[in-house]
Amino acid sequence: MIRFRQFTNIVLSILLVSQAQAEQVIPADQLDYFETHVRPNLVKYCYECHSVEAGESRGGLYLDTREGMRAGGSTGPIFDDERWEYSLFVDAITWNDPDFEMPPKQKMPDEVIAVLTEWVKMGAPDPREREVFEVEDSHIDIEAGKQHWSYQKPVRPAGKSIDAIVSGMQKEQGLTRVGAADAMTLLRRVTFDITGLPPTPPEVTAFAKAFQKDRAAAVSEKLKQLLASDHYGERWGRHWLDVVRYGESSGTLNIVYPYAWRFRNYVIDSFNEDKPYDQLITEHLAGDLLPAETDQERQKNLIATGFLAVGPKKQNEKNREVFRMNLIDEQIDTVTRGFMATSVACARCHDHKFDPIPTTDYYAMAGIFRSTETLWGTVAGNQNHRTTELLELPIPDTHISSADEKALYAQKLADFEKAKEIFSAGKRNVRPDEGFDSKAHVRAKQKFMRLRDELKFINPDGTSKTFGMGAGEGHMENCEVLVSGDINKPAQEVDRGFLQVLSFQDMPTIPSDQSGRLQLAEWITSTNNPLTARVMVNRIWMHLTGTPIVETMDNFGTTGLPPGNQALLDFLAIRFMENGWSVKELVREIVLSDTYQLASTYDEGNYARDPANNTYWRATPRQLDAESLRDQMLLVSGMLDRTRPEGSMAQTAGDSRLGEGRRGDSTAQFNTALFEGRSLYLPILRDELPDELGLFDFPNPQGTIGQRAVTNVAPQSLHLMNSELVQRQARAMAEVLERNFDSPGDQVRNAFLLSYSRPASAAEISRGLQFLREFDPGDAPKIEPTAPVATQGKGKGGKGKAGKAGKGKGKGKGRGMSSTEEQPTAPSALEPEKPMTENQTKLAAFCQALMMSAEFRTIH
């Protein structure tokens, strides 16, 4: 592989194609015609807006080289190789197409048009070659770079367990770990960590009894139950969606991805079934290339490649090549930082300034994705210049079309035929009559294109076809090194391949007729790759303890921080691979360790030596993330719908620009305060996140996020005080308490149990009762009676509530608080709300105060 030297030492050598070489390809008379008549007019009339020298490429079109003219612009090729007279170039210079009148301000003289038209009829012979650059080898010392800790294989440490390794480090630093956590603290911690939900009162009671009898058995049995829950996949799938920058719109123009939810559900299912991590990566990168015995397996594999398609895109980019290389860069960045915590994208314009990654290594990987066809869909229009087809999936969605849907399809089809007729009347090379309305023609063309795109997604019976986002094999080609990342400065071609610093024996080789995605997955998931397992176990450890072993989660390079305990990191990585890359098994091993089960007790001596708790002498108190906070509110209020929707709220915006979809919906109509499903299923629209996520440190889905920011700021408190979501949940919780418990004392006592997963102290009960006596209902927020909405999409098995219960009152009886139910339930989600009584108003205010508290937002 050719190596690239530091950018400051690049030597550019311009290779000009001689006139004699050009004459060997182009007949002399045609060459003379071009130089005498064509080139001067292109320079005079076209170069100002379409040349590298002028720095302009209107519509993404360069007309100063043969390659540029052959590539075309944002609307596609400008030449028709079979019928040259019908070329878009001819339409533009003759002003036959109202959409493409070039030059736009004044038509060229007839004699110039005649010259250029004649040239096109010749086949557009063109001797112009773009400048080609060549670069010298890099001065990066790859072998020296391999000495960095992260580029060497994990070494099995002397300690044979998590606790042995951790306690050894604590002894070295003179630290003594604190005692173990009590039953209720540990239950709340592990339940949130595994499912993202708090334990219910019956679970707290049952676990406390089992814990008192046999601590180890109680924890082991509860962990087994939690890992078997479907909510495990929702919790850990969401962690993974942060890493793979999951979003349901493109950002910038914010074109909606109406089928992104399929990838989301695939991720959840993969974690629930404990799919081996190496297999997950392989499916993400090359699921379409894997064998499948059934349509169900084939569909999952195809949907898995949505990983390559769901990233952000600047779809108003007119230059196709610029867009293409930006897409490839985004894919390289997500793959290398997400799977290997390595910032390869920094080598796009020059050798990596810190890590041993030459630019040629970047373009070796770029060739893999350049040979890949990424399919994200979306409908053209509204400045959306970059659209693709979608993956048509083998299994149809279960849906019975209504008469309205069939009628809508028939109407769209009729409109399409009528727009098509008007548009055809003024199509290319047809001289319009004097009465021709060019504006009407343009409008008809726009409607024709929109309806054409919409009809591609609809079956004749009115149902939507089954599509997904994903990737497949494209045109196999290596990538040229682009000097400074500039598409107009191509240097030598680089064979498709991988990073030299991570080379090892038996490296996979890429066949010439394959993109290399399958081999890329094989290289990343090899047990000889020193990064992949380490990076994932660091992510898992951080989610369970709050403190990563390597603090720079997405950067294991030379500018990242070294591991706080490399022996622990290597131990976990080796165990992870030896256990078949099972995430559940690693989670189980960590949770069952004494290190995980410590109390969060403060110790002054330990704190003086290790204030950051890098040696894990205690459990680190953690703030709930946005989804867990919202889900907890819904659960304690009895309103949580545990059913997974099959679709997404984002679908209602159509597949065009946000607010301008074919259904006319906008994000303003997404009243997420009325959505009762888990927060994982809220619409994840870039730059349009719901407040209950965006205000509480939800990651920006523009790129890989291994560790979320944690803040405690005023807008969060204001949201908890004033949002419709919180007020509705407080009211519903109050109704549950009032319906199940007669006395204010019992109501306060059980409010604490619901909110904090622990009994209230005597002092807390006293203060709670004082609040209820003294609170003025006139100070409470006014909640307008509203019937909440059902979960978007189609759920499985109904609403997912805890089920019906009796209406009796008293401790342990009635709806929502019996020992046989999983969670409390409020009145039916379809029942309209009634105005609150004075007592309900007071109790709702008390419940909201609990939801606003620090303890409600914290895991100890």
Side-chain angles (χ1 to χ4, degrees):
M1 183 181 291
I2 302 170
R3 295 192 299 172
F4 208 56
R5 66 187 304 178
Q6 291 288 352
F7 179 67
T8 54
N9 296 323
I10 291 176
V11 177
L12 302 180
S13 177
I14 302 175
L15 304 177
L16 299 178
V17 178
S18 67
Q19 186 74 22
Q21 290 175 310
E23 289 175 349
Q24 293 176 5
V25 179
I26 302 175
D29 59 331
Q30 293 185 2
L31 180 62
D32 180 67
Y33 187 89
F34 177 85
E35 296 295 352
T36 305
H37 303 291
V38 178
R39 189 195 291 266
N41 286 310
L42 289 176
V43 172
K44 181 177 181 179
Y45 294 103
C46 304
Y47 278 21
E48 181 181 355
C49 298
H50 300 282
S51 68
V52 174
E53 184 177 351
E56 287 285 347
S57 62
R58 302 279 179 88
L61 176 64
Y62 288 101
L63 298 178
D64 54 347
T65 64
R66 183 179 68 244
E67 291 82 2
M69 296 194 80
R70 287 292 186 270
S74 60
T75 58
I78 63 172
F79 292 129
D80 187 326
D81 292 337
E82 296 182 358
R83 303 182 66 185
W84 289 89
E85 68 275 14
Y86 286 97
S87 296
L88 182 60
F89 179 79
V90 174
D91 277 355
I93 64 175
T94 57
W95 284 29
N96 275 346
D97 191 329
D99 287 343
F100 303 101
E101 296 177 343
M102 299 297 163
K105 295 182 180 179
Q106 184 175 357
K107 191 176 180 181
M108 289 186 285
D110 289 344
E111 58 270 20
V112 174
I113 295 174
V115 163
L116 295 178
T117 302
E118 182 63 28
W119 172 64
V120 171
K121 290 179 180 178
M122 294 178 187
D126 191 345
R128 297 170 302 162
E129 297 279 351
R130 67 180 180 183
E131 294 180 349
V132 180
F133 302 88
E134 188 172 0
V135 297
E136 289 186 355
D137 288 355
S138 169
H139 284 178
I140 290 179
D141 189 334
I142 299 294
E143 292 306 315
K146 289 182 177 181
Q147 302 309 306
H148 183 64
W149 72 267
S150 69
Y151 302 137
Q152 300 180 44
K153 287 188 65 175
V155 176
R156 192 181 299 275
K160 295 184 179 180
S161 71
I162 292 171
D163 293 325
I165 296 170
V166 171
S167 63
M169 188 175 185
Q170 291 166 350
K171 290 177 182 178
E172 289 177 3
Q173 299 189 25
L175 300 166
T176 302
R177 65 171 60 184
V178 300
D182 62 69
M184 294 178 187
T185 298
L186 183 58
L187 177 62
R188 182 174 170 86
R189 181 192 305 167
V190 72
T191 308
F192 265 119
D193 281 346
I194 304 302
T195 69
L197 295 169
T200 62
E203 289 176 315
V204 173
T205 302
F207 182 77
K209 291 180 180 178
F211 190 89
Q212 187 175 14
K213 182 178 180 181
D214 186 332
R215 176 191 175 103
V219 174
S220 180
E221 180 60 29
K222 174 51 67 175
L223 179 59
K224 180 180 178 181
Q225 295 171 10
L226 294 172
L227 289 174
S229 166
D230 287 344
H231 297 315
Y232 163 82
E234 292 175 322
R235 175 63 168 173
W236 286 82
R238 181 59 256 183
H239 291 326
W240 186 244
L241 293 175
D242 286 4
V243 174
V244 297
R245 52 53 175 126
Y246 172 75
E248 297 181 77
S249 68
S250 65
T252 310
L253 288 179
N254 242 3
I255 311 298
V256 176
Y257 300 150
Y259 302 101
W261 63 270
R262 295 190 194 277
F263 176 73
R264 175 202 69 196
N265 286 4
Y266 154 83
V267 167
I268 296 168
D269 291 340
S270 295
F271 277 90
N272 271 331
E273 68 186 53
D274 198 24
K275 182 173 292 178
Y277 180 61
D278 58 342
Q279 182 183 341
L280 184 78
I281 290 178
T282 302
E283 291 177 2
H284 277 16
L285 291 171
D288 59 299
L289 302 176
L290 299 177
E293 296 182 358
T294 64
D295 282 347
Q296 288 80 2
E297 186 178 0
R298 173 67 174 163
Q299 179 148 314
K300 287 182 180 179
N301 289 346
L302 291 174
I303 292 172
T305 64
F307 159 75
L308 294 172
V310 298
K313 297 171 185 66
K314 190 177 180 181
Q315 290 176 269
N316 59 348
E317 172 59 61
K318 294 183 177 181
N319 189 305
R320 286 188 300 168
E321 190 62 20
V322 169
F323 177 87
R324 187 181 189 188
M325 292 309 298
N326 287 343
L327 173 64
I328 290 170
D329 183 73
E330 192 274 333
Q331 292 170 330
I332 289 175
D333 188 52
T334 304
V335 168
T336 57
R337 288 204 302 123
F339 301 158
M340 299 185 294
T342 302
S343 54
V344 175
C346 292
R348 180 181 185 180
C349 301
H350 48 69
D351 284 0
H352 201 295
K353 291 186 179 295
F354 306 103
D355 293 336
I357 304 174
T359 301
T360 45
D361 282 11
Y362 172 90
Y363 286 98
M365 292 190 71
I368 295 173
F369 297 107
R370 193 173 177 86
S371 302
T372 299
E373 183 182 23
T374 307
L375 303 171
W376 60 87
T378 72
V379 175
N382 297 315
Q383 302 181 10
N384 182 12
H385 305 301
R386 307 269 68 91
T387 65
T388 69
E389 298 295 321
L390 285 160
L391 290 172
E392 189 161 0
L393 301 173
I395 302 175
D397 288 330
T398 55
H399 176 70
I400 300 175
S401 59
S402 65
D404 289 342
E405 288 171 321
K406 293 179 180 179
L408 179 63
Y409 174 82
Q411 183 60 53
K412 284 182 180 292
L413 187 62
D415 290 346
F416 171 76
E417 294 298 335
K418 182 179 179 182
K420 182 179 179 181
E421 181 180 351
I422 297 173
F423 168 59
S424 298
K427 271 181 65 174
R428 60 179 58 177
N429 264 14
V430 176
R431 295 282 183 180
D433 299 328
E434 291 184 3
F436 181 77
D437 187 342
S438 62
K439 291 183 178 179
H441 170 68
V442 172
R443 288 194 299 270
K445 179 180 180 180
Q446 291 174 341
K447 187 172 184 179
F448 162 77
M449 294 174 66
R450 186 183 72 251
L451 288 169
R452 179 193 61 189
D453 285 344
E454 290 182 2
L455 287 169
K456 289 190 297 186
F457 302 106
I458 305 175
N459 290 310
D461 65 353
T463 60
S464 296
K465 293 182 179 178
T466 308
F467 288 106
M469 303 172 73
E473 295 288 76
H475 174 69
M476 303 307 150
E477 56 181 320
N478 293 325
C479 196
E480 299 166 315
V481 176
L482 301 179
V483 177
S484 300
D486 189 343
I487 63 168
N488 296 303
K489 295 181 179 179
Q492 63 264 38
E493 186 179 277
V494 182
D495 291 338
R496 302 195 292 284
F498 318 114
L499 303 183
Q500 298 175 68
V501 73
L502 293 176
S503 60
F504 45 79
Q505 288 185 343
D506 301 323
M507 287 273 288
T509 57
I510 301 175
S512 60
D513 62 344
Q514 295 182 25
S515 65
R517 285 181 291 123
L518 196 58
Q519 293 74 27
L520 175 64
E522 182 182 347
W523 171 67
I524 291 174
T525 60
S526 170
T527 55
N528 289 317
N529 190 314
L531 284 171
T532 309
R534 277 181 174 141
V535 170
M536 186 57 174
V537 300
N538 190 53
R539 299 192 192 285
I540 294 170
W541 181 266
M542 186 275 296
H543 289 309
L544 290 172
T545 68
T547 306
I549 303 170
V550 180
E551 289 188 38
T552 49
M553 296 282 294
D554 304 319
N555 181 9
F556 276 34
T558 57
T559 58
L561 294 174
N565 189 332
Q566 187 169 344
L568 176 61
L569 182 70
D570 285 1
F571 172 82
L572 295 173
I574 291 170
R575 291 283 291 172
F576 187 41
M577 291 185 285
E578 289 179 345
N579 285 331
W581 302 83
S582 168
V583 174
K584 278 190 178 182
E585 284 305 309
L586 185 60
V587 169
R588 188 192 313 276
E589 185 165 2
I590 295 173
V591 169
L592 292 179
S593 70
D594 292 340
T595 301
Y596 175 85
Q597 295 184 29
L598 292 174
S600 60
T601 310
Y602 174 79
D603 181 275
E604 187 173 354
N606 286 342
Y607 185 82
R609 293 181 176 87
D610 181 16
N613 195 29
N614 291 323
T615 60
Y616 310 105
W617 54 267
R618 69 164 179 161
T620 301
R622 289 172 278 150
Q623 191 164 289
L624 290 180
D625 58 33
E627 298 95 322
S628 295
L629 176 61
R630 180 184 178 277
D631 289 353
Q632 182 178 212
M633 291 180 190
L634 287 165
L635 188 140
V636 300
S637 71
M639 299 300 292
L640 180 65
D641 183 348
R642 294 172 181 252
T643 307
R644 182 174 84 180
E646 292 187 6
S648 169
M649 198 180 293
Q651 288 176 285
T652 63
D655 43 18
S656 189
R657 198 168 175 177
L658 268 182
E660 299 179 9
R662 63 172 180 251
R663 299 173 183 86
D665 294 322
S666 69
T667 52
Q669 293 173 287
F670 295 161
N671 191 345
T672 55
L674 301 180
F675 173 58
E676 298 170 358
R678 291 204 65 177
S679 305
L680 170 69
Y681 303 116
L682 289 170
I684 309 302
L685 301 164
R686 292 182 169 97
D687 303 321
E688 292 280 356
L689 292 172
D691 285 346
E692 54 263 48
L693 298 183
L695 288 174
F696 292 90
D697 305 313
F698 189 87
N700 186 340
Q702 298 290 348
T704 291
I705 300 293
Q707 185 174 16
R708 296 185 181 186
V710 179
T711 63
N712 192 351
V713 293
Q716 296 171 351
S717 299
L718 292 172
H719 177 82
L720 294 174
M721 290 174 63
N722 301 306
S723 78
E724 180 184 7
L725 168 71
V726 182
Q727 292 169 3
R728 287 177 57 81
Q729 305 320 310
R731 169 177 174 157
M733 181 179 173
E735 292 179 358
V736 168
L737 293 169
E738 185 184 55
R739 185 168 51 254
N740 286 276
F741 304 100
D742 291 320
S743 71
D746 283 344
Q747 292 167 0
V748 169
R749 182 180 297 106
N750 283 279
F752 272 86
L753 183 59
L754 271 173
S755 300
Y756 303 147
S757 308
R758 64 166 178 82
S761 68
E764 288 170 330
I765 295 175
S766 176
R767 288 195 296 269
L769 291 173
Q770 181 182 2
F771 179 95
L772 295 179
R773 286 193 303 270
E774 298 178 358
F775 181 77
D776 184 354
D779 295 334
K782 299 299 185 292
I783 307 174
E784 294 297 326
T786 308
V789 297
T791 302
Q792 86 277 12
K794 297 176 183 177
K796 297 177 180 178
K799 286 285 295 175
K801 298 285 185 184
K804 295 182 179 180
K807 297 182 180 180
K809 291 187 177 183
K811 184 176 180 180
K813 295 181 180 180
R815 188 175 182 181
M817 301 300 293
S818 73
S819 61
T820 59
E821 292 180 341
E822 291 188 0
Q823 69 179 83
T825 57
S828 169
L830 301 180
E831 294 176 5
E833 294 176 350
K834 299 177 181 178
M836 289 192 292
T837 65
E838 181 175 314
N839 287 335
Q840 286 175 341
T841 301
K842 290 183 175 184
L843 191 54
F846 176 69
C847 291
Q848 186 171 356
L850 295 179
M851 292 179 183
M852 295 170 57
S853 68
E855 185 172 355
F856 192 81
R857 298 180 59 185
T858 307
I859 307 173
H860 285 279

